Amino acid sequence: MSKPLYLGELLLYWCSSCKVPVLGKECSCGAKTKQVTITPPGDIRPAFPYEIELINKISVEQFNAPLITDQRTVVLNKSPYDDRMEEIIVDGEVIGSIRFELEKLKWTLLLRINGARRIFDNTDYKTLKNWVVIDAGAEKFILGGASVLAPGIKDADPSILEAEEVVVLTHEGKVLGVGRTRMNGEKMLERGKGVGVKVRFKEEPAEITVPEGGQTWDDVVKANESYINDFIERSHKFIKNVSSSVDRPVTVSYSGGKDSLAVLHLVSECLDDYDLLFADTGIEFPETVKNVHDVAEAYGKPLNMISSGEAFWDSVDSFGPPSVEVRWCCKVCKLGPITQIINDNYDNGCLTFIGQRKYESDTRAKSERVWKNPWVGNQVAAAPIQNWTAMHVWLYIFKNDLLYNPLYGEGYDRIGCWLCPSCSVADLYRLKETHPGMEKKLNDYLLSYAERMGLSEEWVKHGFWRWKDLPAQLKEIAKKKEINLVPNCENEHNLHFTVTTGYRPCKQGGISAEGGFDGPVDINRLELTGMLEAVGKSSYMEGVAMVTDGENRAQVFASGSVTARGDSDRDARRLMKKVELSVRRALLCSGCGVCVGKCQSRSIKMKKGLAIIKDKCTHCGQCIDVCPVVKFNS
């Protein structure tokens, strides 16, 4: 699991009188509240009916009984994980988590002790699934932190599989712990040797009292009225101060998401004169585009929009699938069109209120609340809800009965481009259920790309295409499942290269450039020739080469993708060009030796018909300019 990251105060409390979540230490009813211990960053939100149904569906599959049996307010908290993971908070405590496990490619319910008690207490455990009963003598060892060993198992559900979530019961059938199996049920019943269950949570048996249900989100809004009004008042003050101090037309960037909807309504409560901006990337959900038009009509304000049409699909063969590191699509489909909207409609630029919140990411937590967009130079951006959690946003939406995107009710917790590499694999699998035609188009392209690159269908299925250099945890999954991550086909292309540059809105500072060859790059040959040394100091790891030139740096991936970072557009493009030419030299070197005579530091040698640049290179780059490959094959 990733390390928890604190982006702001953890604001989840619970009122035992009203039996609802509260965003502070006192409920509107006057009762003191109890803080709920949740995992940072603590971007809490309501669970929609679909998500409760999903939780119960998983619970029935695993334990043969639902976890949430009646109407009550359920809160979800996104937790750090390799893919998507949500803590489930009911009646003021975390009773479990659901997470989409990439190795299995399915949702799994991980119960806490009180979650297990809700299912197993007052029920004949033999009517349920995935239970392990231990001998009385083993109980104290489990409470002391030990795993469940096979000799200490009294009984077990014979259908248990290895690496499955189970509930550990005392010899009297009371919940003692929860954890994951290290052997199957049949082997447990043999009572041989080895670890049967690795226990995650354990606790002395106790009776559980479940409060009466029936609470609604209208009750939650009422209980949080003072907190919501306080946040509204502060945002109103911010909007009025910024709009009066920035002498530009006011706009609201409306994306079809909940955060921008909240900002739009806040602005509407403060100002009369403003426009809406929407850049349709061409890979938006149809529900999102419809919502944008419906909301613009509801507020009766001008909608300045532009569509990128087929720009993504026209460019994807040149750049390859976008990844977390190489999001060329932002430049092609979003930043350029936004600039065009503003240039076409506002001669002197505009002030734009946007739905940025600090609980979304570390970068946004460190962002200023008002800034000048370094890529869209004629736009001043401002964030009225910077300090709001997702729960604040939703309670504000519920309070005002706002027209929110229906996709939130369909299991999507973020609304944006439907094939964004930053989305979870869980969302991509949900896409197959809600929008099968769109999922098929993406999957068909990815399978075709994988075949060209010598990669497997499993590489596509596990969402590894979303990364050029996988995080360590995902590399372990790939290793375990023997999924190759490095393109291994021959490059029969002409090394056509495409590049785009621009400010990355999810990163602070600098300009990024993304480029791509129309085929894979042999990183081993690149390292062997040392050609990147002509650009700067280079280093290598599996499937990726890195080069640093002062404060600027670039990466070359085996897939053919190239990224560069610079302080300015000029720096990024200049570095990208040097890297492109150096890759060409490495892959197409004819062994002519022209560069050897040009090198003043004598750091280039010929070896087996290849020019090899050694470590003593001064990175002057003069050998690049004289190379025939550069002159005649660029």
Side-chain angles (χ1 to χ4, degrees):
M1 181 186 295
S2 305
K3 183 179 179 181
L5 184 64
Y6 288 85
L7 302 179
E9 185 181 357
L10 301 181
L11 292 172
L12 181 59
Y13 296 78
W14 212 273
C15 177
S16 58
S17 297
C18 299
K19 303 180 182 63
V20 295
V22 179
L23 293 166
K25 297 180 180 180
E26 185 176 311
C27 179
S28 291
C29 73
K32 297 296 182 183
T33 59
K34 177 191 76 172
Q35 185 163 23
V36 182
T37 302
I38 56 175
T39 303
D43 198 18
I44 50 177
R45 65 179 181 86
F48 285 88
Y50 168 81
E51 291 161 322
I52 295 175
E53 290 173 11
L54 175 64
I55 292 167
N56 282 333
K57 177 184 176 183
I58 302 166
S59 183
V60 169
E61 289 173 355
Q62 293 180 202
F63 303 107
N64 203 36
L67 178 61
I68 303 166
T69 57
D70 58 0
Q71 179 179 317
R72 57 189 66 234
T73 55
V74 180
V75 176
L76 298 181
N77 176 46
K78 183 179 288 187
S79 303
Y81 183 60
D82 302 334
D83 199 65
R84 186 171 167 186
M85 180 169 174
E86 309 269 4
E87 287 180 330
I88 307 163
I89 301 105
V90 178
D91 298 323
E93 60 184 348
V94 179
I95 63 171
S97 298
I98 54 168
R99 73 183 185 194
F100 191 84
E101 300 192 344
L102 288 178
E103 188 171 342
K104 299 179 179 179
L105 293 175
K106 61 179 292 188
W107 283 102
T108 298
L109 172 63
L110 295 87
L111 291 173
R112 296 283 184 96
I113 295 297
N114 270 358
R117 287 174 179 158
R118 284 172 182 255
I119 294 175
F120 280 79
D121 273 12
N122 304 317
T123 303
D124 179 1
Y125 64 81
K126 291 202 172 183
T127 66
L128 303 174
K129 293 169 57 179
N130 286 3
W131 47 266
V132 176
V133 179
I134 61 174
D135 290 329
E139 293 172 11
K140 64 179 181 180
F141 296 102
I142 305 304
L143 291 172
S147 298
V148 175
L149 301 180
I153 295 175
K154 178 181 178 182
D155 196 8
D157 174 8
S159 68
I160 290 173
L161 302 177
E162 187 178 343
E164 195 162 29
E165 288 293 309
V166 295
V167 174
V168 179
L169 305 175
T170 68
H171 71 287
E172 296 177 332
K174 297 294 184 180
V175 173
L176 184 73
V178 293
R180 185 156 291 202
T181 60
R182 293 294 186 267
M183 59 177 65
N184 62 39
E186 292 183 356
K187 193 170 182 180
M188 289 181 191
L189 292 172
E190 294 174 3
R191 303 187 69 175
K193 296 182 179 180
V195 175
V197 181
K198 181 70 174 178
V199 178
R200 185 182 300 108
F201 295 105
K202 72 279 183 186
E203 192 176 298
E204 287 275 7
E207 295 298 322
I208 182 174
T209 301
V210 178
E212 184 179 354
Q215 300 80 25
T216 69
W217 285 100
D218 286 339
D219 298 326
V220 182
V221 171
K222 183 178 179 181
N224 285 273
E225 189 170 12
S226 61
Y227 297 109
I228 299 172
N229 289 339
D230 178 54
F231 273 72
I232 292 171
E233 184 179 343
R234 281 187 265 172
S235 294
H236 282 171
K237 184 177 180 180
F238 175 83
I239 292 167
K240 292 173 183 177
N241 287 342
V242 174
S243 60
S244 63
S245 59
V246 178
D247 187 20
R248 298 190 184 197
V250 175
T251 61
V252 176
S253 178
Y254 185 61
S255 66
K258 70 181 188 307
D259 297 334
S260 59
L261 177 61
V263 168
L264 169 58
H265 197 70
L266 286 165
V267 171
S268 75
E269 292 173 325
C270 299
L271 307 174
D272 294 325
D273 190 13
Y274 61 90
D275 298 341
L276 304 188
L277 304 181
F278 175 58
D280 180 356
T281 60
I283 41 179
E284 306 284 346
F285 283 99
E287 290 90 341
T288 297
V289 177
K290 183 178 186 303
N291 176 262
V292 169
H293 287 283
D294 289 346
V295 166
E297 182 178 352
Y299 282 83
K301 294 298 179 183
L303 173 62
N304 294 323
M305 67 170 289
I306 189 171
S307 174
S308 296
E310 294 295 307
F312 176 87
W313 298 107
D314 291 342
S315 303
V316 70
D317 284 334
S318 297
F319 291 106
S323 68
V324 172
E325 308 97 324
V326 188
R327 296 208 314 187
W328 55 264
C329 41
C330 282
K331 281 85 172 179
V332 172
C333 303
K334 192 170 186 178
L335 292 175
I338 288 175
T339 303
Q340 186 176 334
I341 290 177
I342 295 173
N343 285 339
D344 290 347
N345 292 279
Y346 309 98
D347 293 337
N348 298 312
C350 64
L351 165 65
T352 304
F353 289 104
I354 66 170
Q356 173 178 291
R357 298 185 298 107
K358 70 180 181 181
Y359 284 90
E360 295 177 281
S361 69
D362 183 44
T363 298
R364 294 193 171 189
K366 295 174 182 176
S367 172
E368 299 291 335
R369 292 190 72 184
V370 181
W371 68 98
K372 190 170 184 180
N373 193 324
W375 181 240
V376 185
N378 53 355
Q379 181 188 52
V380 174
I385 61 171
Q386 177 77 352
N387 298 318
W388 293 34
T389 68
M391 183 67 84
H392 288 89
V393 172
W394 279 114
L395 295 185
Y396 179 65
I397 289 173
F398 294 157
K399 172 184 172 69
N400 293 284
D401 195 23
L402 303 185
L403 187 63
Y404 63 84
N405 195 318
L407 288 172
Y408 286 111
E410 294 295 320
Y412 293 94
D413 72 321
R414 62 181 298 277
I415 304 298
C417 300
W418 55 268
L419 48 65
C420 180
S422 294
C423 73
S424 64
V425 176
D427 285 347
L428 295 174
Y429 273 71
R430 178 63 178 148
L431 180 71
K432 189 173 184 177
E433 298 171 346
T434 61
H435 300 77
M438 290 158 55
E439 190 275 341
K440 184 178 186 303
K441 184 174 184 178
L442 173 63
N443 197 56
D444 286 350
Y445 167 76
L446 291 172
L447 290 174
S448 173
Y449 176 85
E451 184 177 6
R452 295 199 309 271
M453 292 292 173
L455 298 166
S456 67
E457 183 178 347
E458 292 295 301
W459 178 82
V460 176
K461 285 174 61 177
H462 286 80
F464 292 157
W465 61 270
R466 300 172 304 140
W467 301 88
K468 298 302 179 187
D469 185 22
L470 284 181
Q473 300 94 323
L474 272 61
K475 285 182 180 178
E476 284 299 314
I477 294 175
K479 182 178 180 181
K480 186 175 181 180
K481 301 185 78 67
E482 298 182 341
I483 301 173
N484 175 48
L485 301 176
V486 181
N488 56 16
C489 65
E490 293 293 328
N491 190 337
E492 300 176 354
H493 303 267
N494 295 318
L495 289 181
H496 175 72
F497 189 76
T498 309
V499 63
T500 185
T501 64
Y503 169 69
R504 286 186 76 183
C506 52
K507 299 289 184 184
Q508 292 299 311
I511 296 294
S512 68
E514 276 88 34
F517 291 99
D518 62 346
V521 171
D522 187 342
I523 299 297
N524 292 331
R525 184 179 173 98
L526 196 55
E527 183 176 11
L528 171 67
T529 62
M531 289 297 180
L532 285 179
E533 287 293 317
V535 179
K537 188 64 179 176
S538 61
S539 58
Y540 299 84
M541 62 179 67
E542 184 181 16
V544 60
M546 291 160 284
V547 60
T548 303
D549 177 20
E551 297 297 318
N552 306 320
R553 58 189 177 88
Q555 292 179 298
V556 182
F557 299 94
S559 64
S561 295
V562 183
T563 67
R565 301 281 185 271
D567 289 334
S568 66
D569 184 84
R570 181 182 179 185
D571 287 345
R573 284 185 177 274
R574 181 183 294 169
L575 178 60
M576 179 67 85
K577 188 63 178 178
K578 287 181 180 180
V579 170
E580 176 206 343
L581 297 177
S582 296
V583 171
R584 291 183 185 279
R585 292 181 65 204
L587 301 185
L588 303 175
C589 178
S590 63
C592 69
V594 171
C595 57
V596 176
K598 186 67 174 178
C599 182
Q600 296 181 2
S601 63
R602 299 179 181 274
S603 61
I604 306 180
K605 304 294 182 183
M606 297 301 299
K607 186 176 181 180
K608 295 183 179 181
L610 281 179
I612 308 293
I613 302 179
K614 298 296 185 181
D615 292 339
K616 62 180 180 178
C617 173
T618 62
H619 322 302
C620 70
Q622 292 187 30
C623 59
I624 298 176
D625 298 330
V626 300
C627 177
V629 169
V630 171
K631 289 181 176 291
F632 304 113
N633 200 279
S634 298

